[in-house]
Amino acid sequence: MSLAVFQPLEKLSGTEAPGKPPLVTPQIEPFLHEKLREDRFWTATLLCEAVAQQFQVTISPRTMTEHLHRLGYTWKRARYSPAKTLDPAVQREHAASIETLKKGHWTAKSA
């Protein structure tokens, strides 16, 4: 036979939620928003490294991804694009390779 201990509701309402406290604290959220507004490419792994450096908190990329989803962010696949305008002669010569790279595939042709 087991005994259950019942407490009045007033005592339960003042306690914290059970379980491990969240790793992404309210102090980290503005930092994430600031980083994601920067004009650069961010992955969950890179964000975890930035948080670790700034706040000395280790967060897994999976946890970071889940938290970013809760904040309303979504991810999209990155694609390679030239950093500057290509020379038209070079572009014509390598058009097939450029299209392959844009699609995210790489095939090395042996010479």
Side-chain angles (χ1 to χ4, degrees):
M1 180 172 169
S2 64
L3 298 174
V5 177
F6 294 96
Q7 295 180 354
L9 287 177
E10 300 85 42
K11 285 193 176 184
L12 293 176
S13 64
T15 61
E16 292 184 18
K20 188 176 179 182
L23 291 173
V24 181
T25 62
Q27 293 80 16
I28 295 176
E29 285 186 16
F31 176 78
L32 291 175
H33 288 296
E34 178 184 324
K35 289 294 179 188
L36 292 170
R37 278 193 296 270
E38 292 177 2
D39 187 27
R40 88 168 258 192
F41 178 73
W42 285 103
T43 64
T45 304
L46 290 174
L47 283 170
C48 291
E49 291 171 5
V51 167
Q53 185 176 22
Q54 183 74 23
F55 296 98
Q56 291 72 46
V57 176
T58 304
I59 301 172
S60 73
R62 176 71 182 167
T63 300
M64 180 61 73
T65 301
E66 290 173 359
H67 190 76
L68 291 173
H69 279 284
R70 283 193 293 275
L71 291 176
Y73 291 97
T74 58
W75 70 278
K76 75 178 199 179
R77 187 171 308 277
R79 293 201 163 203
Y80 292 103
S81 63
K84 60 182 180 179
T85 306
L86 298 175
D87 178 23
V90 173
Q91 190 171 4
R92 279 191 300 278
E93 183 180 339
H94 298 286
S97 299
I98 291 171
E99 287 305 313
T100 301
L101 287 173
K102 283 182 182 178
K103 293 177 184 174
H105 303 289
W106 174 254
T107 55
K109 294 180 181 178
S110 58

